[in-house]
């Protein structure tokens, strides 16, 4: 079961199951929609896919941007679409795998249906993310290791808000169960800011007919994620939805426009795994 709820502070209506959520009428026109996720929760993927399918069936034709596709693979996406226009598996093979293995470990059983949806309706499919290798360069050497001055300015990273950096440090610290050395947090937070800024740039470029970003809940947050890199006019078009698990801490009221809550996916103790890794 899923519950669409304001968590008391967020506002909006309540719905259950896979029936349309009350906020789905926001998915239309030139809306910039951010649909979050817990990456390994299959129930959330199913619900989110149903939301998108209903929006497409109602006539919405947004570009689909994905965190799971790194920006340097856009050319591979376009080539695969020209060679096999309706073959989602072929596109994933060309743009999201390396020697038969998924790049960055994404489970494409969860994401293949979104690729197929973009191909079915002929809408742009966008590689929205900074690659892991580029993110690591930023951690080690800063923004200039990846971006020249003009790109850093275009993305807004030369105007990095100190409060946003601190907020990301806190989120990363909590998300890694306080297992990371404190001195590493600013550099890792800058890589996260760069990811959000790159995603925001992709959305701005392709948002004329509407665009939807599929990404983790942290990227979808209005208060510290991708929307913080939009100007006020663009921000007015944003609708951000969290897909959370029951028992997750309630996000701040400013974080999302709507929240969907599902049962947690079965998984091992992530904190114990992280602590063992940091000690090894």
């Amino acid at each position: 079961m899923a519950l669409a709820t304001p968590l008391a502070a967020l506002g909006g209506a309540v719905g259950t199951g896979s029936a349309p959520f009350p906020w789905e009428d926001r998915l239309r026109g030139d809306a910039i929609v951010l649909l979050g996720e817990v990456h390994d929760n299959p129930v959330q993927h199913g619900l989110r896919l149903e939301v998108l399918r209903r929006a497409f069936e109602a006539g919405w034709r947004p570009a689909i941007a994905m965190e799971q596709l790194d920006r340097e693979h856009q050319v591979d996406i376009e080539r695969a679409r020209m060679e096999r226009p309706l073959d989602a598996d072929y596109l994933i093979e060309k743009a999201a795998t390396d020697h038969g293995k998924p790049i960055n470990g994404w489970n494409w059983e969860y994401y293949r249906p979104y690729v197929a949806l973009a191909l079915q309706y002929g809408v742009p499919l966008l590689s929205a993310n900074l690659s892991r290798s580029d993110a690591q360069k930023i951690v080690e050497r800063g923004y200039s290791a990846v971006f020249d001055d003009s790109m850093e300015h275009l993305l807004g990273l030369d105007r990095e808000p100190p409060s946003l950096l601190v907020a990301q440090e806190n989120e990363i610290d909590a998300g890694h169960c306080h297992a990371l050395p404190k001195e590493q947090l600013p550099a890792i937070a800058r890589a996260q800011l760069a990811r959000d800024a790159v995603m925001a740039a992709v959305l701005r470029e392709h948002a004329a007919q509407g665009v939807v970003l599929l990404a983790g809940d942290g990227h979808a947050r209005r208060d510290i994620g991708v929307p913080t890199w939009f100007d006020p006019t663009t921000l007015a078009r944003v609708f951000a939805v969290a897909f959370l698990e029951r028992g997750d801490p309630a996000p701040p009221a400013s974080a999302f426009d709507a929240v969907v809550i599902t049962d947690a996916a079965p998984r091992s103790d992530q904190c114990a795994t992280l602590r063992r890794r940091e000690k090894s």
Side-chain angles (χ1 to χ4, degrees), residues 22-120:
W23 43 262
E24 289 186 29
D25 62 351
R26 296 291 301 272
L27 279 63
R28 61 186 180 186
D30 66 352
I32 299 171
V33 177
L34 291 79
L35 298 179
E37 65 181 52
V38 176
H39 297 311
D40 64 346
N41 190 309
V43 173
Q44 293 183 3
H45 285 291
L47 289 170
R48 194 172 59 166
L49 182 62
E50 289 176 5
V51 166
L52 277 182
R53 281 179 173 158
R54 285 192 289 265
F56 274 90
E57 289 167 0
W60 197 36
R61 295 294 182 270
I64 297 178
M66 299 183 66
E67 175 191 1
Q68 295 74 28
L69 293 166
D70 294 342
R71 60 184 184 142
E72 57 265 40
H73 292 292
Q74 190 65 46
V75 64
D76 299 316
I77 292 172
E78 304 307 330
R79 184 182 300 114
R81 295 187 76 159
M82 286 190 294
E83 293 172 352
R84 300 188 191 178
L86 296 177
D87 192 334
D89 287 324
Y90 183 71
L91 188 150
I92 292 166
E93 176 190 344
K94 295 301 181 182
T97 63
D98 183 20
H99 297 95
K101 295 183 179 180
I103 296 171
N104 298 334
W106 296 110
N107 183 346
W108 282 96
E109 291 300 316
Y110 295 151
Y111 299 105
R112 180 182 291 104
Y114 304 111
V115 174
L117 191 68
L119 300 184
Q120 176 186 348

Side-chain angles (χ1 to χ4, degrees), residues 66-230:
M66 299 183 66
E67 175 191 1
Q68 295 74 28
L69 293 166
D70 294 342
R71 60 184 184 142
E72 57 265 40
H73 292 292
Q74 190 65 46
V75 64
D76 299 316
I77 292 172
E78 304 307 330
R79 184 182 300 114
R81 295 187 76 159
M82 286 190 294
E83 293 172 352
R84 300 188 191 178
L86 296 177
D87 192 334
D89 287 324
Y90 183 71
L91 188 150
I92 292 166
E93 176 190 344
K94 295 301 181 182
T97 63
D98 183 20
H99 297 95
K101 295 183 179 180
I103 296 171
N104 298 334
W106 296 110
N107 183 346
W108 282 96
E109 291 300 316
Y110 295 151
Y111 299 105
R112 180 182 291 104
Y114 304 111
V115 174
L117 191 68
L119 300 184
Q120 176 186 348
Y121 285 95
V123 300
L125 180 67
L126 308 174
S127 52
N129 204 3
L130 190 71
S131 68
R132 184 171 293 180
S133 61
D134 279 350
Q136 185 59 38
K137 290 175 186 175
I138 291 171
V139 169
E140 294 172 356
R141 303 194 298 278
Y143 298 134
S144 62
V146 174
F147 308 115
D148 60 24
D149 290 345
S150 62
M151 180 57 70
E152 196 172 323
H153 180 73
L154 181 65
L155 293 173
L157 292 169
D158 60 342
R159 304 178 297 281
E160 169 191 285
S163 60
L164 185 57
L165 182 66
V166 171
Q168 283 289 4
E169 288 178 32
N170 292 337
E171 288 297 316
I172 290 165
D173 188 28
H176 288 78
C177 311
H178 310 289
L180 295 175
K182 300 298 183 186
E183 62 272 15
Q184 293 182 10
L185 294 177
I188 297 172
R190 285 194 172 90
Q192 186 77 346
L193 295 185
R195 286 192 180 100
D196 287 337
V198 165
M199 291 185 200
V202 171
L203 299 188
R204 278 195 301 269
E205 184 179 352
H206 296 88
Q209 303 301 317
V211 63
V212 57
L213 174 67
L214 307 177
D217 285 315
H219 295 298
R221 283 180 61 160
R222 277 181 166 272
D223 56 339
I224 63 171
V226 172
T228 60
W229 301 95
F230 291 144

Side-chain angles (χ1 to χ4, degrees), residues 5-10 171 221 223 242 244-256 259 261:
T5 174
L7 290 183
L10 289 171
E171 288 297 316
R221 283 180 61 160
D223 56 339
L244 304 178
E245 293 183 332
R246 208 175 307 278
D248 285 345
S254 59
F256 300 104
V259 170
I261 301 174

Side-chain angles (χ1 to χ4, degrees), residues 232-262:
T233 300
T234 304
L235 188 60
R237 296 162 53 193
V238 167
F239 188 74
V241 182
F243 283 74
L244 304 178
E245 293 183 332
R246 208 175 307 278
D248 285 345
S254 59
F256 300 104
D257 299 295
V259 170
V260 176
I261 301 174
T262 71

